[in-house]
């Protein structure tokens, strides 16, 4: 079965935490550095090291902006449309950072460092400008496409936050050098690991406010909240003060997460831990794990059987009702011919081990049988979940079932019956009506 990369975001997620976790998993630092050099962007150097968070050893990656780089002049551009705030994970080292490290200056090339007429670095980059930088990346097209996707997710969120067309959004927070590096690095390292299926846990978020260029913003900040809303990211709030999910981190989660749940059974092949820079009461880390799913054990059931030739039809009907109420998965009678040429019925019941004894007691209590056979039974079942849909004649119930990427919609009988009574539709028409409503709901 295909391996899974699982990001456990119990302390939120940011760009530098993600890069650190992927490097700690064994993704190539050399490929990362070569790729960043090919962008021809300057104004920073990279930090690679180790640190401890609540005693847990973690990879400490950071982008250190050099004097005169973009962040140093952001306050001078009043018309910038993207919020600036101090990302809790992205800058500086907390008091626990007893870390070994080295720094890399990947800039032996012509630089992309445009200036305005007053000699200040020009920080106004729109999405097209970001794409031009990504296009210079000397790596696979799939890597570039993922980086573009992440920036587009943030641009859409900023567009909504500021009420501007996406082409008019200018970046200084996500378009700054550190976020370009974080997003491109994430795309490179994910590709280097070669794992396509990524599952992202619910994102832990702090509370309170952070100070931005445009004033004080609530947590989650508008861009992060818009990304979570647009892409169905699950957030849960903690009692930590401040931001734990940055816009860059939210964009990464939205771009790479499959939305699937973890398999029921798996082994852990490798663990990588990326450090955040703030210190919370819990370890401020992003844990990345390579999981190897295991085949689930078959759903072992029991089949109970007994032959009955001296019991009334009323008793048999009542027994069937009690068996279904008590948790039988299925129960049915089969007409048979017994010894002495007596017509009879074979009662068959499918059940779980947990209900077996109770169901046997019902059979002995309400029928005339004196013995029950049982056999272990295995089965293959479709994934299933109930849904409620709206039709022109009211609500209806259905089951959505699936296997190997295919979906099947099965309306519930009572809903089909009620729809027929209320609408005058035929059974087939009512059945199809509920199916169409369920299909529409799935697409939305």
């Amino acid at each position: 079965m295909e391996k899974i990369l699982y990001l456990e975001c119990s302390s939120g997620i940011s760009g530098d935490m993600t890069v650190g976790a992927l490097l700690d998993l064994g993704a190539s630092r050399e490929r990362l550095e070569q790729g960043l050099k090919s962008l021809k962007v300057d104004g920073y150097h990279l930090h690679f090291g180790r640190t401890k968070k609540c005693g847990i050893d973690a990879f400490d990656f950071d982008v250190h902006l050099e004097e005169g780089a973009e962040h140093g002049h952001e306050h001078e551009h009043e018309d910038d449309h993207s919020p600036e705030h101090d990302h809790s994970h992205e800058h500086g080292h907390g008091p626990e950072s007893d870390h070994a490290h080295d720094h890399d200056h990947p800039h032996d090339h012509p630089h992309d460092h445009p200036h305005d007429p007053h000699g200040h670095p020009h920080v106004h980059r729109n999405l097209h400008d970001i794409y031009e930088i990504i296009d210079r990346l000397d790596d696979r097209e799939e890597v570039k496409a993922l980086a573009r996707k992440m920036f587009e997710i943030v641009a859409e969120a900023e567009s909504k936050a500021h009420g501007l067309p996406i082409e008019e959004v200018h970046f200084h927070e996500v378009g700054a050098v550190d976020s370009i590096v974080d997003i491109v690095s994430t795309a490179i390292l994910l590709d280097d690991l070669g794992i396509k299926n990524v599952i992202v846990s619910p994102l832990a978020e702090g509370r309170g406010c952070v100070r931005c260029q445009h004033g004080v913003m609530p947590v989650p900040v508008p861009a992060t909240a818009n990304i979570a809303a647009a892409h169905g990211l699950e957030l849960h709030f903690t009692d930590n003060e401040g931001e734990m999910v940055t816009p860059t981190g939210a964009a990464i989660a939205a771009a790479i997460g499959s939305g699937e749940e973890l398999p029921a059974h798996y082994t852990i092949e490798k663990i990588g831990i990326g450090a955040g820079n703030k210190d919370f009461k819990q370890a401020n880390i992003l844990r990345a794990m390579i999981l190897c799913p295991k085949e689930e054990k078959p759903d072992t059931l029991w089949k109970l059987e007994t032959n009955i030739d001296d019991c009334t039809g009323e008793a048999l009907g009542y027994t069937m009702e009690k068996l279904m109420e008590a948790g039988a998965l299925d129960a049915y009678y089969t007409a048979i011919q017994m010894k002495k040429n007596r017509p009879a019925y074979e009662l068959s019941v499918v059940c779980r081990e947990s209900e077996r004894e109770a169901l046997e007691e019902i059979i002995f209590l309400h029928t005339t049988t004196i013995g029950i056979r049982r056999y272990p039974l295995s089965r293959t079942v479709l994934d299933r979940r109930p849904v409620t849909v709206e039709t022109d004649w009211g609500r209806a119930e259905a089951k959505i079932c699936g296997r190997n990427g295919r979906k099947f919609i099965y309306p519930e009988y009572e809903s089909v019956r009620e729809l027929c009574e209320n609408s005058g539709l035929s059974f087939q028409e009512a059945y199809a009506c509920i199916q169409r409503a369920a299909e529409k709901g799935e697409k939305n």
Side-chain angles (χ1 to χ4, degrees):
M1 300 178 70
E2 185 179 0
K3 293 181 181 180
I4 295 169
L5 174 62
Y6 177 56
L7 299 184
E8 183 186 67
C9 306
S10 58
S11 286
I13 184 172
S14 68
D16 57 350
M17 294 173 80
T18 305
V19 175
L22 297 178
L23 287 168
D24 205 32
L25 274 178
S28 172
R29 172 176 167 178
E30 180 181 0
R31 179 176 171 185
L32 168 64
E33 292 176 317
Q34 290 299 319
L36 293 178
K37 285 180 182 179
S38 68
L39 296 178
K40 297 181 172 59
V41 173
D42 72 350
Y44 74 97
H45 62 271
L46 302 178
H47 163 87
F48 302 88
R50 310 292 305 182
T51 189
K52 285 183 168 55
K53 291 293 177 181
C54 294
I56 297 177
D57 179 65
F59 198 107
D60 186 23
F61 172 83
D62 208 349
V63 181
H64 288 183
L65 299 178
E66 295 168 353
E67 186 177 354
E70 294 188 12
H71 281 275
H73 296 274
E74 285 170 356
H75 64 280
E76 298 178 15
H77 299 276
E78 298 297 331
D79 61 336
D80 211 333
H81 301 305
S82 181
E84 173 196 2
H85 57 277
D86 176 19
H87 282 184
S88 60
H89 296 293
E90 310 261 314
H91 303 294
H93 298 289
E96 246 192 300
S97 296
D98 177 19
H99 55 270
H101 62 273
D102 61 89
H103 296 273
D104 183 55
H105 297 260
H107 310 301
D108 53 353
H109 48 67
H111 303 310
D112 173 33
H113 200 147
H115 287 68
D116 65 18
H118 303 290
H120 298 306
H122 178 59
V123 298
H124 296 278
R125 287 190 173 117
N126 59 26
L127 191 58
H128 176 73
D129 298 325
I130 300 295
Y131 285 174
E132 285 188 343
I133 294 172
I134 294 172
D135 286 341
R136 294 200 292 259
L137 178 64
D138 184 16
D139 211 306
R140 286 162 30 90
E141 183 55 40
E142 290 84 353
V143 175
K144 299 179 187 180
L146 179 56
R148 293 189 202 101
K149 180 181 179 180
M150 294 181 201
F151 269 107
E152 184 178 6
I153 288 172
V154 180
E156 290 173 346
E158 296 288 6
S159 170
K160 182 176 179 61
H162 298 289
L164 292 168
I166 192 169
E167 61 272 10
E168 292 184 20
V169 173
H170 289 78
F171 299 94
H172 67 223
E173 176 58 46
V174 177
V177 169
D178 56 344
S179 293
I180 293 174
V181 173
D182 283 342
I183 284 178
V184 172
S185 297
T186 297
I188 292 172
L189 297 176
L190 281 170
D191 187 77
D192 192 70
L193 289 172
I195 299 175
K196 303 300 183 184
N197 190 13
V198 183
I199 297 177
V200 181
S201 79
L203 311 180
E205 177 61 294
R207 59 180 67 244
C209 298
V210 293
R211 181 169 295 279
C212 305
Q213 185 191 37
H214 302 288
V216 175
M217 298 283 186
V219 173
V221 298
T224 298
N226 288 339
I227 292 170
H231 297 274
L233 299 182
E234 183 178 345
L235 299 174
H236 69 90
F237 291 98
T238 69
D239 57 2
N240 292 317
E241 286 293 324
E243 181 184 44
M244 298 173 70
V245 180
T246 69
T248 302
I252 290 170
I256 69 176
S258 66
E260 297 179 10
E261 295 183 356
L262 285 174
H265 306 280
Y266 58 84
T267 58
I268 301 174
E269 181 177 289
K270 199 166 186 180
I271 300 172
I273 297 178
N277 291 317
K278 261 194 171 182
D279 291 308
F280 303 124
K281 63 183 179 182
Q282 83 279 1
N284 186 14
I285 58 174
L286 174 66
R287 183 160 64 170
M289 293 182 279
I290 297 177
L291 308 180
C292 300
K294 297 299 179 183
E295 292 284 355
E296 293 187 25
K297 295 180 180 179
D299 187 6
T300 302
L301 308 172
W302 288 100
K303 184 175 183 181
L304 311 179
E305 288 182 354
T306 186
N307 297 347
I308 306 170
D309 66 352
D310 55 351
C311 190
T312 68
E314 290 94 337
L316 294 177
Y318 182 73
T319 301
M320 178 76 75
E321 291 178 11
K322 301 303 291 184
L323 290 170
M324 298 306 294
E325 289 174 4
L329 297 174
D330 199 3
Y332 54 93
Y333 291 107
T334 304
I336 59 174
Q337 196 79 15
M338 288 180 62
K339 58 188 177 182
K340 300 182 181 179
N341 294 320
R342 293 176 183 171
Y345 293 97
E346 180 184 73
L347 169 60
S348 300
V349 180
V350 177
C351 67
R352 297 183 178 89
E353 171 61 29
S354 55
E355 282 84 35
R356 180 181 60 80
E357 288 191 12
L359 296 178
E360 288 178 338
E361 182 68 19
I362 290 171
I363 296 171
F364 282 127
L365 180 63
H366 296 296
T367 74
T368 56
T369 190
I370 58 174
I372 300 172
R373 304 179 295 275
R374 66 173 181 261
Y375 314 96
L377 186 70
S378 296
R379 64 174 182 169
T380 301
V381 298
L382 300 180
D383 297 328
R384 67 191 74 182
R385 56 185 171 85
V387 295
T388 301
V389 300
E390 293 288 345
T391 72
D392 292 338
W393 296 275
R395 292 188 173 183
E397 307 294 328
K399 288 193 293 286
I400 307 293
C401 303
R403 178 176 170 82
N404 296 328
R406 300 185 65 182
K407 288 185 178 180
F408 309 93
I409 299 173
Y410 299 116
E412 296 290 357
Y413 167 77
E414 290 298 336
S415 289
V416 178
R417 178 181 179 278
E418 185 175 354
L419 205 61
C420 289
E421 297 294 326
N422 294 339
S423 66
L425 296 174
S426 70
F427 189 92
Q428 290 80 7
E429 288 171 332
Y431 192 95
C433 178
I434 297 173
Q435 280 188 317
R436 287 194 299 270
E439 287 171 357
K440 183 178 179 181
E442 287 294 291
K443 291 178 182 177
N444 294 337

